[in-house]
Amino acid sequence: VLRQCGALLRVGLAESIAYRVEALIWLLSTTMPFVKWSLFHTLAADAPVGTYDQRAFTLYFVSAFLVRNTTGSWAAWQMNMDIREGTLSVRLLRPVFPLLSYATDNLAALPIRGAVCLPVAAAFVWSTQSGERPQGPAWVALAFSLLCAWLLNLLANMVIGLSALFFESTIKWMELYTVAFSLSSGYFVPLDVFPPSVRAVLSHLPFRYQLGFPVDVLIGRVPMEAAWGPLAEGAAYVLLLGSVAALLWTRGMRRFAAYGG
Amino acid sequence: MTLVRRLSAYLRVLGVQVRASVLLAMQYRLDFFFDGAIALAWCFAALVPPLVVMRNGRSLGGWSVGECYVVLGVFLVVKSVLEGAVGPSLLSVVEKVRRGSLDLVLVKPKNALFLVSTARFYPANAVGTVFGAALIAIGFRTMGRWPGVGPVLVGFGLLLDGLVLLYALLVFCVCAAFYAVRVDNLTFLLGAIFDAARWPRSAFRGAVRFVFTFVLPIVVMTSLPAEALVGRIGIREWFVTTMGTGAFLAAALFAWHRSVRAYTSAGG
């Protein structure tokens, strides 16, 4: 399996390098946290917004850029297309479990994404003080939170993508999911800026573990002793989404007829 | 006379394209209502970030809450046009170029850019236009005053300029498809960039403000009409913007003609 994964990663990497304009467009689309940073930096010039002053916004949105780029997933689009056009049958013929191939497609883009993130990450480490980044064991919590965020993003995409086995198209589900993610994950604004009652609800939804929580761990806003509870909650969501994806896969395969052209 | 006849011929084609899109959308009624619900969800989502920031009576770049509602209203109107009318048609060209099926458009006896620009409409996105217009009205109600005839005319003129700018921007994007093979995520990029237009332009500073005003003029599309409606700018700014819009459109049309000349029907 490891050898197969290695081959898939090499193919995925070659594909992501082959289409340079696509890579450039993707690169531009990932810079949105910097636009938000510029905006909130201006807004916080006179007085902090909630608990965020200008420096806190800078740290937050730079970290959001790093977390989003290392944990993002877009498998739902490919799965929806494969199922609708019947090309999933090609993946079924290969000696690799299809869901694993979607995961390796995601991972294969990491070297390119990492190359973009590296200078930003270096600047982050260089310019932050000790209280503004994880210390000692908090790096372990950060690693777990990033893994959790990637799995949640991937599994949420798989659940939506696999729903195409039961519905005509799941692109609309994806749009609804994007609305919910953008609002509830901390992508638009940090969750701490929301009113306390709204924040209390949002902090227990899975979206927080897809972006907001790893960002908070990265900028040292979550003390080490307070990180384990949310990490366990995030892991529980991973198990839940993983189970739903497995159920959809087994039920969906019974009705998949490769009806595309 | 010939011009009138040609114009009426194009209007007839536009009518046919709109009717076909409406029939197609209404064919799957559940999908149609679902599209409307998603458009409505995006409208509410668009309100959240500015409202969260302003909840303690804070102004946004010198804009009061009522004035921000006007900016948001204009933003939603322009966004509904982007996603319901201009975007789906023009971005379908990307796929046509890749597959070579743009040939079928080019051989038709009408302007190819007109045909591809009016190929597809999503009527469910009209929800955004209505929501945006209502939000503009709520904004003025919050301010406790209503705009006069002059600001409404200038605001409407600037809104038209904004829509033309949006169209020209999309034409530029589509031209990229003639030179690069995979530009599918252009839609995502455009949507992500355009999201920044919900904030008043005074909330941006430095290079970002320059880019969003002169390179990707998204704040011109939403902030300027709102500024005219609330009486911050007048006819002079409208004139300058219209000149700039004309130049931007001319450049986009030039790019389109160059791109079509470079098209080699590469698809299968």
Side-chain angles (χ1 to χ4, degrees):
Chain A
V1 173
L2 280 177
R3 215 169 43 242
Q4 290 168 341
C5 284
L8 286 171
L9 285 172
R10 277 196 301 279
V11 171
L13 179 63
E15 268 192 19
S16 53
I17 294 169
Y19 298 102
R20 284 179 290 271
V21 174
E22 188 185 40
L24 180 70
I25 293 171
W26 158 77
L27 180 67
L28 289 172
S29 67
T30 62
T31 55
M32 288 309 115
F34 292 117
V35 173
K36 291 190 189 80
W37 162 73
S38 157
L39 176 80
F40 281 96
H41 196 262
T42 308
L43 294 178
D46 302 328
V49 181
T51 56
Y52 281 78
D53 57 11
Q54 283 188 310
R55 183 167 176 81
F57 273 126
T58 304
L59 291 175
Y60 184 88
F61 284 112
V62 169
S63 305
F65 169 82
L66 294 172
V67 171
R68 189 72 187 132
N69 272 301
T70 46
T71 63
S73 174
W74 55 95
W77 304 97
Q78 188 62 46
M79 292 177 89
N80 182 64
M81 202 171 79
D82 283 349
I83 292 167
R84 285 186 73 181
E85 296 191 357
T87 46
L88 179 65
S89 50
V90 179
R91 287 191 189 247
L92 285 167
L93 285 172
R94 289 180 189 157
V96 184
F97 182 51
L99 294 187
L100 189 64
S101 70
Y102 288 112
T104 53
D105 281 354
N106 246 211
L107 286 175
L110 265 183
I112 301 263
R113 290 179 168 233
V116 175
C117 288
L118 209 60
V120 181
F124 176 83
V125 173
W126 178 73
S127 61
T128 48
Q129 293 147 10
S130 58
E132 295 171 334
R133 55 173 184 262
Q135 298 293 315
W139 285 105
V140 180
L142 176 67
F144 271 117
S145 69
L146 287 174
L147 179 67
C148 189
W150 179 67
L151 285 171
L152 279 174
N153 282 321
L154 180 71
L155 290 170
N157 267 264
M158 283 184 172
V159 167
I160 294 166
L162 287 172
S163 301
L165 291 163
F166 304 90
F167 300 97
E168 194 245 342
S169 166
T170 54
I171 292 300
K172 292 185 179 73
W173 300 109
M174 193 63 197
E175 287 179 20
L176 269 184
Y177 163 76
T178 309
V179 176
F181 171 83
S182 304
L183 281 180
S184 317
S185 67
Y187 182 73
F188 273 165
V189 282
L191 295 183
D192 286 344
V193 176
F194 279 91
S197 53
V198 180
R199 198 167 62 227
V201 176
L202 296 183
S203 60
H204 291 293
L205 295 180
F207 305 108
R208 179 192 174 207
Y209 301 106
Q210 292 174 264
L211 183 77
F213 180 69
V215 168
D216 283 343
V217 175
L218 182 57
I219 58 180
R221 279 192 162 241
V222 180
M224 185 61 203
E225 59 277 9
W228 299 115
L231 274 177
E233 197 172 76
Y237 276 122
V238 170
L239 283 177
L240 180 69
L241 276 177
S243 308
V244 174
L247 187 71
L248 286 174
W249 175 259
T250 45
R251 292 276 168 90
M253 277 304 101
R254 287 181 205 153
R255 44 185 290 149
F256 179 63
Y259 48 78
Chain B
M1 194 63 191
T2 321
L3 182 72
V4 175
R5 203 175 294 157
R6 281 185 68 182
L7 198 65
S8 64
Y10 273 99
L11 282 175
R12 258 201 319 278
V13 174
L14 177 66
V16 170
Q17 305 253 63
V18 171
R19 208 162 48 244
S21 287
V22 172
L23 286 173
L24 202 65
M26 298 296 284
Q27 192 179 355
Y28 302 101
R29 266 171 233 118
L30 195 64
D31 273 5
F32 178 73
F33 289 116
F34 202 53
D35 285 344
I38 291 171
L40 199 62
W42 268 119
C43 288
F44 280 109
L47 300 181
V48 173
L51 292 184
V52 164
V53 173
M54 289 189 296
R55 74 190 158 95
N56 295 324
R58 162 192 286 275
S59 74
L60 267 184
W63 287 63
S64 68
V65 175
E67 289 173 324
C68 281
Y69 280 144
V70 178
V71 179
L72 279 169
V74 176
F75 165 73
L76 290 176
V77 169
V78 179
K79 189 176 163 74
S80 68
V81 175
L82 168 68
E83 291 174 353
V86 189
S89 299
L90 275 178
L91 293 170
S92 69
V93 178
V94 175
E95 187 65 14
K96 285 191 172 83
V97 171
R98 192 163 58 202
R99 297 192 174 200
S101 56
L102 189 69
D103 301 13
L104 302 173
V105 180
L106 294 174
V107 294
K108 283 179 183 166
K110 287 279 177 284
N111 182 288
L113 185 56
F114 173 82
L115 289 177
V116 294
S117 305
T118 55
R120 192 76 203 268
F121 297 92
Y122 289 129
N125 284 76
V127 170
T129 313
V130 176
F131 195 95
L135 203 60
I136 293 171
I138 291 170
F140 279 104
R141 201 183 148 85
T142 310
M143 285 185 271
R145 64 185 171 89
W146 294 94
V149 179
V152 168
L153 284 177
V154 175
F156 193 70
L158 280 164
L159 180 64
L160 283 180
D161 282 346
L163 294 177
V164 172
L165 276 174
L166 180 68
Y167 178 75
L169 194 62
L170 277 171
V171 170
F172 272 124
C173 290
V174 164
C175 290
F178 287 88
Y179 300 98
V181 184
R182 271 166 62 165
V183 286
D184 302 308
N185 41 10
L186 259 179
T187 324
F188 179 70
L189 173 65
L190 273 177
I193 292 172
F194 189 72
D195 263 353
R198 84 184 67 191
W199 305 90
R201 70 179 167 137
S202 54
F204 295 101
R205 290 271 187 278
V208 175
R209 185 167 177 173
F210 178 83
V211 169
F212 284 166
T213 306
F214 297 107
V215 184
L216 300 165
I218 54 166
V219 291
V220 177
M221 296 169 199
T222 55
S223 271
L224 289 195
E227 285 184 31
L229 283 173
V230 300
R232 288 185 175 216
I233 57 172
I235 203 154
R236 198 172 65 87
E237 287 82 355
W238 179 21
F239 179 75
V240 173
T241 309
T242 306
M243 291 293 107
T245 303
F248 206 77
L249 181 65
L253 294 179
F254 178 72
W256 167 261
H257 286 298
R258 288 296 295 263
S259 303
V260 170
R261 277 168 61 182
Y263 175 64
T264 53
S265 183

